[in-house]
Amino acid sequence: MATLSSFLLATSLVLAGCAGGGGGNASGTAGGGGTAGKPHVLKVANYFATDHPQNVALREKFKPMVEEKSGGSLQVQIYDNSKLGAEKEFYDGVRNGTIEMGIPGLIMQADVPKMAVGEWPFLFKDFAHAKKVLEGPIGKEMTDEMESKHGVHALAWSANGFRMFSSNRPIASVNDFQGMRIRMPNIPNYIKLGQLLGANITPMPISEVFTALEQKVVDGQDNPIATLKASGWYEVQTDVLESKHMFSPNLYIINGKLWSQLTPEQQRILEEAAKAAADYEWELLEKSYEDDKKFLQEKGIRFTTPDESFRQAMETAAGPLYDEIYQTYPWAKEMVEKIKAEAK
């Protein structure tokens, strides 16, 4: 009996030690210093064509970085080309949590007015100027209210590029805008600018633009030429005006509630991957301009570069929009001055 009791006691101690060690290792693996966390599938929605630099960057940078560095606890699924709805639909999906992530433009500006700054006309000199502003204190100030007002957390600024008008006839002066039917996003600043230039503006989702151009419901549209190429609109257009009338940024966002549920390490991984992918996309987009232009010219697209007087005429036409902005938002004039100062 004494021998049996000693054996049972020793066995129980060994089992207790194993249980304790196993629990410690399991805790260490699950916590992993905060690396593993609860697994999540991240649907990332956007409206860009599959081969647009936004989706190239998502595939080549964001997805592999997130999945590898999270040890598989974060899985990325990319839904391009408006597969989860047009911009408003997928942005609302991120807000309410049915979609985890998205890369919208500045559609939220109606409720978050400072987000509109990125698309005020003739404000940015070049890519370097836009990137410096958006990635600095001004860009942070623009996104500060997004989480409290819309429940989405901003991760990184990316670029859509400088917008230009494509059309089915040349635009050689401001007078050529008169009566032209142009599709622009359903955003007040866009619509007002188009009207000030003399065009008749028809707002519609980007997914409907090709058909509208093909059926001549509209005569033209405005977007960076990377979008013109990737979306195939060159098949139903003949001309591009290199107006660079507006810079159009995009933003990596994630549902705020989901963000708060992630471990600090998962959050760090997403921030680093979003920044790396966005930087890559900026680089791809800027470098692709001349290649895109050559491609479009080979497809028969004629480019018109406005001279200084034409450009000045467009900027003058946009003046009343700035007057309206300054009257509406007391902070706007100072912010415009700060942005222009960053170009020096």
Side-chain angles (χ1 to χ4, degrees):
M1 289 298 293
T3 301
L4 179 59
S5 297
S6 298
F7 173 78
L8 291 173
L9 178 60
T11 302
S12 65
L13 289 171
V14 169
L15 290 174
C18 290
N25 288 338
S27 175
T29 302
T35 56
K38 181 181 177 182
H40 294 277
V41 174
L42 306 175
K43 297 188 292 291
V44 185
N46 67 79
Y47 51 72
F48 291 99
T50 303
D51 60 352
H52 187 279
Q54 287 284 9
N55 286 304
V56 174
L58 281 174
R59 290 193 302 271
E60 295 184 7
K61 292 288 184 182
F62 185 76
K63 178 180 170 68
M65 281 184 68
V66 169
E67 293 181 348
E68 179 181 345
K69 292 191 173 186
S70 71
S73 73
L74 300 175
Q75 294 291 315
V76 176
Q77 297 177 353
I78 301 167
Y79 291 84
D80 57 24
N81 212 19
S82 301
K83 289 186 176 73
L84 296 184
E87 184 179 18
K88 185 181 187 308
E89 284 72 36
F90 77 71
Y91 180 72
D92 288 343
V94 177
R95 289 184 65 185
N96 62 38
T98 58
I99 300 172
E100 290 76 18
M101 291 186 61
I103 307 180
L106 305 186
I107 194 169
M108 70 294 293
Q109 61 187 260
D111 296 330
V112 189
K114 285 187 179 179
M115 288 297 288
V117 175
E119 292 180 323
W120 288 350
F122 304 106
L123 187 54
F124 293 102
K125 179 182 177 181
D126 50 30
F127 275 91
H129 181 205
K131 196 170 192 285
K132 181 181 178 183
V133 168
L134 293 172
E135 292 187 346
I138 295 173
K140 184 180 184 307
E141 182 179 346
M142 288 167 62
T143 61
D144 272 348
E145 294 183 314
M146 285 187 62
E147 196 147 6
S148 61
K149 287 191 173 182
H150 276 190
V152 299
H153 181 81
L155 290 170
W157 285 100
S158 66
N160 189 358
F162 282 95
R163 300 181 80 93
M164 305 177 191
F165 292 100
S166 71
S167 57
N168 56 19
R169 59 180 183 268
I171 303 174
S173 73
V174 171
N175 293 334
D176 291 332
F177 285 106
Q178 295 296 322
M180 184 175 282
R181 298 165 299 173
I182 296 179
R183 175 271 172 186
M184 297 183 88
N186 192 17
I187 297 174
N189 290 341
Y190 281 82
I191 296 170
K192 181 72 172 179
L193 175 62
Q195 291 170 341
L196 288 170
L197 290 171
N200 296 323
I201 304 305
T202 301
M204 68 177 67
I206 197 169
S207 56
E208 299 175 14
V209 172
F210 186 96
T211 302
L213 293 170
E214 183 179 38
Q215 296 179 355
K216 303 192 185 307
V217 174
V218 293
D219 303 310
Q221 62 81 43
D222 86 310
N223 258 294
I225 63 169
T227 305
L228 180 66
K229 175 190 174 185
S231 300
W233 299 337
Y234 56 85
E235 296 176 10
V236 287
Q237 297 280 263
T238 60
D239 288 84
V240 166
L241 173 64
E242 292 183 286
S243 52
K244 297 185 180 180
H245 54 277
M246 189 183 293
F247 185 80
S248 190
N250 290 95
L251 193 66
Y252 280 63
I253 59 169
I254 186 169
N255 174 267
K257 185 176 180 181
L258 171 60
W259 177 255
S260 67
Q261 294 171 352
L262 300 176
T263 67
E265 184 67 3
Q266 287 176 321
Q267 291 179 346
R268 183 188 65 78
I269 289 166
L270 285 176
E271 285 177 335
E272 288 182 356
K275 181 66 168 59
D279 282 344
Y280 184 46
E281 194 272 339
W282 278 91
E283 181 183 341
L284 288 174
L285 194 68
E286 185 173 11
K287 285 183 176 179
S288 72
Y289 183 80
E290 291 303 325
D291 290 339
D292 291 344
K293 182 176 180 178
K294 182 179 179 182
F295 172 89
L296 292 169
Q297 288 174 323
E298 290 173 349
K299 295 296 182 180
I301 298 293
R302 295 169 299 202
F303 279 74
T304 298
T305 303
D307 59 20
E308 185 58 33
S309 63
F310 184 5
R311 182 172 179 81
Q312 187 58 54
M314 289 189 288
E315 291 192 33
T316 300
L321 174 56
Y322 275 102
D323 294 338
E324 186 177 303
I325 289 168
Y326 294 156
Q327 290 173 7
T328 306
Y329 304 113
W331 46 263
K333 190 173 182 63
E334 181 183 358
M335 184 170 280
V336 166
E337 290 171 353
K338 287 192 295 184
I339 288 172
K340 289 183 176 179
E342 292 290 337
K344 297 176 182 177

